[in-house]
Amino acid sequence: MDPKELVKSCPLFRGIDPADLGGMLKCMSAREIEPERGEFIMTTPGSAPLMGAVLAGEVEMISEDYFGKKSLLTVLPVGSVFGESYSCVKARNRTIAYQASGKCRVLLLDYDRILHACKLVCRFHHRMIENMVELIAEKNLELIEKLEVTSRTSIREKLLTYLTRQAERTGSAAFQVPMGRTELAEYLCTDRSAMTRELSRMREEGLIDFDKRTFTLLDWKK
């Protein structure tokens, strides 16, 4: 892995001199993997606490409850970190899995070594922890946003709330969503066929237009 490219593409290492990154990664037992579509990268609770950073592609965060019901929590794009919250918490009552949504590249780090870095890299390690806290805060906001979306009573309300948040994030009425239809239905906690029918009705009524993952809110204003 090229330290310069890693610092540029991953916010976890923002503000760290590329010349110092090699030593940090070695200290944290970092290793790069390239999982294929559908391959599980990490499951918590696991045997060893790990944290991942998405270098290319996308990773799906999936929750499984006591009864085995699975739910797509979010899709993590390039630059996202994952696994840190569940590696930190010792008492767990559900399984969280991270799965490659397509071919991707992921950097895995030893979580304990992130919290307890050696003296050689402590000067830069403090900055990395600050970056990690910021990324965790951003992820928490995304999960709060999902709660806002899924708490809507109808499929149309869920779709409009979700699509409006995407438009606000991009600052444009036309945007791409990070999920296909199946993943979007799982994210919204609704039936895929029912959601597809509702999307067609919304297009017929002039509320939206779409082509695969590209959507346009026809009456949206900044």
Side-chain angles (χ1 to χ4, degrees):
M1 65 193 81
D2 184 341
K4 291 184 180 179
E5 289 300 317
L6 188 56
V7 169
K8 185 186 301 183
S9 64
C10 186
L12 180 63
F13 303 108
R14 183 174 49 236
I16 296 175
D17 191 328
D20 300 308
L21 189 57
M24 284 184 62
L25 294 178
K26 183 177 181 180
C27 182
M28 296 172 194
S29 301
R31 65 183 188 279
E32 189 175 329
I33 61 173
E34 295 187 6
E36 298 291 337
R37 176 181 175 84
E39 184 177 344
F40 284 97
I41 300 165
M42 182 195 310
T43 301
T44 59
S47 57
L50 296 172
M51 189 178 84
V54 184
L55 304 181
E58 296 175 336
V59 171
E60 296 174 345
M61 182 180 180
I62 302 169
S63 170
E64 182 176 354
D65 64 18
Y66 178 80
F67 302 100
K69 182 176 176 58
K70 296 181 180 180
S71 173
L72 177 64
L73 296 179
T74 187
V75 176
L76 304 167
V78 172
S80 301
V81 297
F82 60 90
E84 71 294 331
S85 298
Y86 293 91
S87 291
C88 180
V89 177
K90 303 302 180 184
R92 310 176 182 97
N93 57 5
R94 64 173 55 220
T95 297
I96 299 294
Y98 299 93
Q99 182 180 29
S101 61
K103 186 174 178 59
C104 62
R105 287 193 302 120
V106 171
L107 183 70
L108 294 179
L109 306 165
D110 186 318
Y111 187 76
D112 287 336
R113 294 197 176 203
I114 293 175
L115 293 182
H116 308 98
C118 70
K119 294 180 180 179
L120 180 64
V121 295
C122 63
R123 184 160 57 101
F124 310 101
H125 180 78
H126 179 70
R127 177 55 188 266
M128 193 191 75
I129 290 180
E130 290 180 346
N131 292 341
M132 184 173 70
V133 170
E134 290 179 4
L135 292 171
I136 291 172
E138 291 173 4
K139 186 185 300 181
N140 286 340
L141 290 176
E142 291 176 0
L143 293 177
I144 291 172
E145 180 178 298
K146 173 174 179 172
L147 180 61
E148 179 186 7
V149 171
T150 56
S151 65
R152 299 295 188 255
T153 55
S154 70
I155 296 176
R156 176 169 294 201
E157 289 175 337
K158 291 181 179 183
L159 283 166
L160 285 174
T161 303
Y162 173 78
L163 295 174
T164 299
R165 294 294 172 268
Q166 296 298 312
E168 290 172 347
R169 181 176 290 112
T170 61
S172 171
F175 49 86
Q176 280 196 329
V177 300
M179 296 174 254
R181 295 293 187 269
T182 300
E183 293 82 8
L184 181 57
E186 291 179 4
Y187 179 86
L188 298 177
C189 301
T190 191
D191 178 73
R192 184 185 188 279
S193 297
M195 183 195 74
T196 301
R197 289 193 298 270
E198 189 60 44
L199 284 171
S200 296
R201 283 193 289 265
M202 291 167 67
R203 178 160 60 182
E204 291 171 0
E205 294 173 20
L207 295 175
I208 64 171
D209 195 10
F210 56 85
D211 179 23
K212 297 181 180 179
R213 291 192 181 192
T214 301
F215 283 80
T216 303
L217 285 177
L218 298 179
D219 61 350
W220 183 76
K221 297 180 181 179
K222 288 186 179 181

